[in-house]
Amino acid sequence: MQNSRHSLARSKAPDRRGHFGVFGGRYVSETLMPALIELEKAYAAARRDPSFRREFETYLREYAGRPTPLYFAERLTADLGARVYLKREDLCHTGAHKINNTIGQVLLARRMGKKRIIAETGAGQHGVATATVAARFGIECEIFMGKEDVARQYLNVLRMRLLGAKLRVVESGSNTLKDAMNEALRDWVTNVRTTYYLIGSVAGPHPYPMMVRDFQSVIGKEARRQIRATEGRLPDYLVACVGGGSNSIGLFYPFIRDHGVKMIGVEAAGAGISTGRHAATILGGEVGVLHGSKSYLLQDRNGQVRETHSIAAGLDYPGVGPELSYLRDAGRIRFSSATDREALAALKELSRTEGVIPALESAHALAELLKLAPKLKKNQIIIVNLSGRGDKDMGTVGEYLEK
Amino acid sequence: MNRIDAKFSELKSRGEAGLIPFVTAGDPEITTTLKILRSLEAAGADMIELGVPFSDPMADGATIQRASERALAGGTMLPHVLALVRRFRRESELPIILFGYYNPIYHYGLARFAADARAAGVDGLLCVDLPPEESAELRRQTEKRGLYTIFLLAPTSDEERIKLVARLGRGFIYYVSVTGVTGARRALEGELQAQVARIRRYTRQPIAVGFGVSTPMQAARIAAFADAAVVGSALIDVIERAGRNGRKASQAGAFVARLKRGIKGAKRPVSSF
């Protein structure tokens, strides 16, 4: 463990071909390879360009409303016995951290001269964030969303329509995020010359996992600065939910080399990992290849991708970003899980103690907080990434409350 | 000698282009696929591309997606596909190429796959989501066993990629004639012939053209400049529409026989590879 941490601090991941150790890479059809190479070059140039960075930072500040507060949750702290801070990504424009990445990628798409943007979405937050920024820049936008998610996240469907995006309802497989991504990839391979594919998580082929991580790491950079300003030191724990992994890597990444900071990724245990109805990829999966990268994957004994279940549409995905698999195997991130029931309880708890209604996705991280904090000392510090707000989930939550 | 090489030299000596039908193994169940394979051979197929079903066929259009779903619903997995090839090998020397996605093969274990596939009588493998850059692990195993790894080229591939595929691929190069997913289309892109000529500047390997081939006339046009035509979705359509399983094999055979006549009528330059 000591050795792997040492090498982690020195290694530069991903490598030139997008590998994070044995994970990552580019597993796509030949038609898309040139587009990915073009994207990689365009992103490398943009990353070095101070005017691109300035533009990105300006839109984060003026449009998305950053920096988001690092909020000291006083009542939770009193109840739980460790010092609890919430990184308030729910206060971003559109209501979740997703906008950080969509601003970055839409600016990049515009630089590349792309006239059309497509995206997949699960909870609808990435779809809304994409439709929002596409509207801001007057770019044609189509969002792929599974039929089941359309039903359970209807508020976000209405928002996307209002923002002028065309919604493509996907009816195949489990009718969720995985299938939306399959369909978005089919569209991209057909329209690759004119279309920019805006992936919303740290999944997919290189350079997406790296690029989305870079755009999302604004979360951790701010949190690091903020906690040092208020507490005069770094936190003991970072906690974030993990579906594809974008909000977690966004918070964790700037702390990777701070070895005193422990990191916990919380996966969706659905009805319970032992029932098989869950979406806990790292805890319940094996290494495989899906949607362009090698990573942990929920699959059956024949290598077919398994159907997943989570109350949180944004976590209902059988894959996980390759860098998270890498950091877990290197011993840097510990993974735990929360069931649907635990997430709902945590959602209620935060609503009643702090007056903040979290998204069901973020509620998984809060469920871990409720388990972890009572075991810690009073002066230990935990930062939870409150990745999104819960308005979109009121339909789902209502159904459960009535039961 | 790999059966793929033997077939291409036989075709060359006859001055003909080959016809490679694609069928999804286990659509709708494996015994029907065996009958279809027999019928395709009788109809003049030169090789077979046998689709290995996958839960997430993201490079495929609606037709092959449905075939894959039917096969999975019937429980056809990679070990059954290998058993089918083993069974067919008792009666046929037709080259067989497995066509599918990387994960089922990766999960099976690459060394085990290469050994079992070769023992069953598989000649080549084409994973649509495995570009040459990620193929080293797989090729180490397949090359040891004499199993060919075939790669795709697309209209978007530049010179550098053509060279890469020419260097690492074995057996033949599969040229994807359109930018898009698999599926029968009415017209083929006009620049196809020029694209194939461009690839030939970098390789002496045979070139097969696929994606969107559906009529005898299209097959004949491709046969005029390529070394083989692959027909997939159009054949799956025929099999899907044929209704009762008993008729699927005979109708698939009749369709492929018509395509074969189209190819035989094609005017070919004396030596194209």
Side-chain angles (χ1 to χ4, degrees):
Chain A
M1 189 74 58
Q2 213 51 43
N3 277 338
S4 65
R5 281 190 188 172
H6 184 62
S7 63
L8 193 68
R10 283 188 311 176
S11 75
K12 207 168 171 316
D15 69 12
R16 211 168 43 80
R17 284 190 174 167
H19 295 111
F20 300 88
V22 301
F23 302 108
R26 261 200 286 244
Y27 294 83
V28 296
S29 58
E30 174 61 26
T31 308
L32 294 178
M33 283 300 287
L36 290 170
I37 293 165
E38 180 199 0
L39 177 62
E40 184 190 352
K41 286 181 184 155
Y43 176 59
R47 204 182 190 187
R48 282 192 304 267
D49 180 353
S51 72
F52 180 83
R53 288 208 301 267
R54 258 198 314 278
E55 199 180 17
F56 178 52
E57 283 158 15
T58 304
Y59 281 101
L60 285 183
R61 190 176 62 240
E62 309 291 331
Y63 191 65
R66 303 203 71 90
T68 59
L70 183 70
Y71 167 72
F72 177 61
E74 199 181 339
R75 293 193 61 203
L76 270 183
T77 295
D79 287 355
L80 297 174
R83 299 182 69 74
V84 178
Y85 284 85
L86 304 176
K87 182 58 177 162
R88 296 291 306 274
E89 292 301 297
D90 61 316
L91 294 176
C92 283
H93 180 37
T94 71
H97 72 291
K98 292 291 184 187
I99 191 119
N100 303 327
N101 169 50
T102 57
I103 289 174
Q105 288 200 57
V106 169
L107 291 175
L108 184 62
R110 205 172 53 138
R111 231 177 118 100
M112 293 172 75
K114 301 289 182 184
K115 303 285 184 236
R116 176 175 178 262
I117 285 176
I118 57 169
E120 81 295 335
T121 196
Q125 288 301 128
H126 176 58
V128 167
T130 304
T132 296
V133 185
R136 167 61 186 78
F137 289 100
I139 300 176
E140 185 190 340
C141 175
E142 277 184 49
I143 306 292
F144 294 83
M145 190 171 185
K147 197 176 104 184
E148 186 181 328
D149 293 338
V150 168
R152 62 177 162 170
Q153 308 279 221
Y154 199 63
L155 180 67
N156 277 343
V157 171
L158 295 177
R159 293 166 80 196
M160 286 184 268
R161 289 210 166 116
L162 195 61
L163 290 159
K166 191 170 158 197
L167 189 75
R168 299 268 295 267
V169 181
V170 177
E171 284 185 60
S172 69
S174 53
N175 300 316
T176 59
L177 179 55
K178 157 181 93 84
D179 312 287
M181 197 150 175
N182 287 338
E183 209 52 42
L185 280 164
R186 288 182 189 118
D187 182 293
W188 199 34
V189 84
T190 307
N191 302 298
V192 63
R193 289 189 175 98
T194 55
T195 297
Y196 184 95
Y197 181 19
L198 206 161
I199 292 183
S201 195
V202 286
H206 181 62
Y208 287 102
M210 171 182 78
M211 181 168 68
V212 177
R213 173 199 74 195
D214 291 351
F215 289 139
Q216 289 295 1
S217 61
V218 65
I219 302 171
K221 282 181 201 157
E222 285 177 8
R224 200 168 184 284
R225 203 170 56 231
Q226 289 165 323
I227 199 72
R228 290 178 84 166
T230 52
E231 291 277 355
R233 68 176 184 95
L234 293 175
D236 299 287
Y237 286 91
L238 301 175
V239 181
C241 67
V242 176
S246 72
N247 90 83
S248 64
I249 204 86
L251 175 65
F252 295 169
Y253 191 65
F255 293 90
I256 286 287
R257 289 170 192 201
D258 300 319
H259 294 303
V261 180
K262 298 179 187 70
M263 300 170 175
I264 303 175
V266 188
E267 296 194 311
I273 292 180
S274 60
T275 67
R277 295 187 65 237
H278 65 89
T281 304
I282 284 191
L283 295 174
E286 292 168 87
V287 178
V289 172
L290 180 71
H291 293 154
S293 63
K294 189 184 280 181
S295 194
Y296 281 94
L297 178 66
L298 288 172
Q299 52 187 320
D300 68 16
R301 62 194 173 85
N302 288 299
Q304 306 294 341
V305 180
R306 270 171 45 190
E307 294 204 356
T308 53
H309 164 78
S310 169
I311 191 172
L315 305 182
D316 203 350
Y317 180 66
V320 65
E323 190 163 16
L324 288 150
S325 293
Y326 169 66
L327 292 171
R328 130 68 197 250
D329 280 10
R332 186 66 188 95
I333 303 179
R334 181 163 75 77
F335 278 81
S336 74
S337 68
T339 62
D340 290 349
R341 204 182 284 266
E342 289 169 326
L344 275 165
L347 180 143
K348 276 205 252 177
E349 177 72 15
L350 190 72
S351 303
R352 288 176 189 181
T353 55
E354 297 289 345
V356 175
I357 303 176
L360 278 169
E361 289 77 12
S362 322
H364 286 71
L366 294 163
E368 174 63 25
L369 170 77
L370 300 183
K371 291 181 236 174
L372 173 72
K375 296 180 209 155
L376 303 183
K377 296 192 194 95
K378 278 203 178 334
N379 62 351
Q380 287 193 289
I381 301 168
I382 308 175
I383 297 178
V384 179
N385 199 5
L386 197 68
S387 56
R389 69 179 185 218
D391 308 37
K392 69 183 175 63
D393 296 317
M394 287 307 101
T396 308
V397 173
E399 277 172 36
Y400 278 80
L401 289 178
E402 280 156 24
K403 270 181 199 169
Chain B
M1 194 183 199
N2 189 299
R3 290 183 193 89
I4 296 171
D5 293 335
K7 177 56 78 172
F8 274 112
S9 34
E10 177 200 323
L11 284 165
K12 187 181 175 182
S13 67
R14 288 209 307 263
E16 259 180 57
L19 177 63
I20 313 179
F22 167 94
V23 283
T24 299
D27 170 26
E29 25 79 23
I30 218 98
T31 51
T32 303
T33 308
L34 180 62
K35 287 177 193 148
I36 291 171
L37 295 185
R38 287 172 180 151
S39 153
L40 296 178
E41 182 167 26
D46 295 295
M47 303 181 205
I48 302 281
E49 273 188 13
L50 194 56
V52 180
F54 183 50
S55 53
D56 293 80
M58 58 227 141
D60 285 300
T63 303
I64 295 181
Q65 284 179 52
R66 281 198 303 274
S68 205
E69 278 168 25
R70 286 190 295 264
L72 289 174
T76 298
M77 302 293 163
L78 183 56
H80 308 110
V81 181
L82 295 177
L84 169 67
V85 176
R86 204 178 310 124
R87 174 69 191 77
F88 187 58
R89 268 291 162 252
R90 300 214 304 248
E91 56 193 76
S92 170
E93 284 300 308
L94 213 55
I96 292 180
I97 298 136
L98 296 190
F99 189 102
Y101 293 80
Y102 190 46
N103 197 58
I105 286 159
Y106 180 78
H107 192 79
Y108 191 86
L110 300 179
R112 180 178 162 223
F113 169 79
D116 291 359
R118 199 64 184 129
V122 174
D123 303 292
L125 170 69
L126 200 164
C127 290
V128 282
D129 58 349
L130 188 74
E133 282 90 338
E134 302 288 354
S135 69
E137 237 182 323
L138 174 68
R139 281 184 294 109
R140 254 197 304 281
Q141 300 302 331
T142 53
E143 284 175 9
K144 218 187 289 179
R145 304 279 177 179
L147 188 68
Y148 281 175
T149 303
I150 296 150
F151 293 108
L152 301 159
L153 282 172
T156 51
S157 309
D158 60 13
E159 272 178 30
E160 217 172 298
R161 302 201 57 76
I162 295 173
K163 285 181 197 164
L164 184 66
V165 164
R167 185 159 57 85
L168 299 180
R170 297 284 178 273
F172 63 93
I173 290 171
Y174 187 126
Y175 182 70
V176 174
S177 63
V178 291
T179 53
V181 293
T182 55
R185 288 170 187 79
R186 214 153 281 167
L188 293 167
E189 282 188 7
E191 290 196 354
L192 187 51
Q193 187 169 358
Q195 292 275 20
V196 170
R198 188 167 73 114
I199 297 169
R200 287 205 199 279
R201 287 209 294 273
Y202 302 95
T203 181
R204 296 178 60 81
Q205 284 191 53
I207 299 169
V209 172
F211 280 38
V213 181
S214 59
T215 67
M217 209 152 68
Q218 281 176 335
R221 276 182 47 207
I222 287 166
F225 57 84
D227 305 306
V230 182
V231 57
S233 296
L235 176 59
I236 304 284
D237 268 338
V238 169
I239 293 169
E240 190 175 45
R241 279 200 308 263
R244 282 188 304 104
N245 289 356
R247 297 185 56 196
K248 289 183 189 295
S250 61
Q251 299 212 358
F255 178 68
V256 164
R258 281 199 297 281
L259 293 174
K260 182 68 183 179
R261 280 196 293 277
I263 284 186
K264 283 205 164 180
K267 289 196 172 56
R268 279 175 66 76
V270 181
S271 174
S272 56
F273 68 92

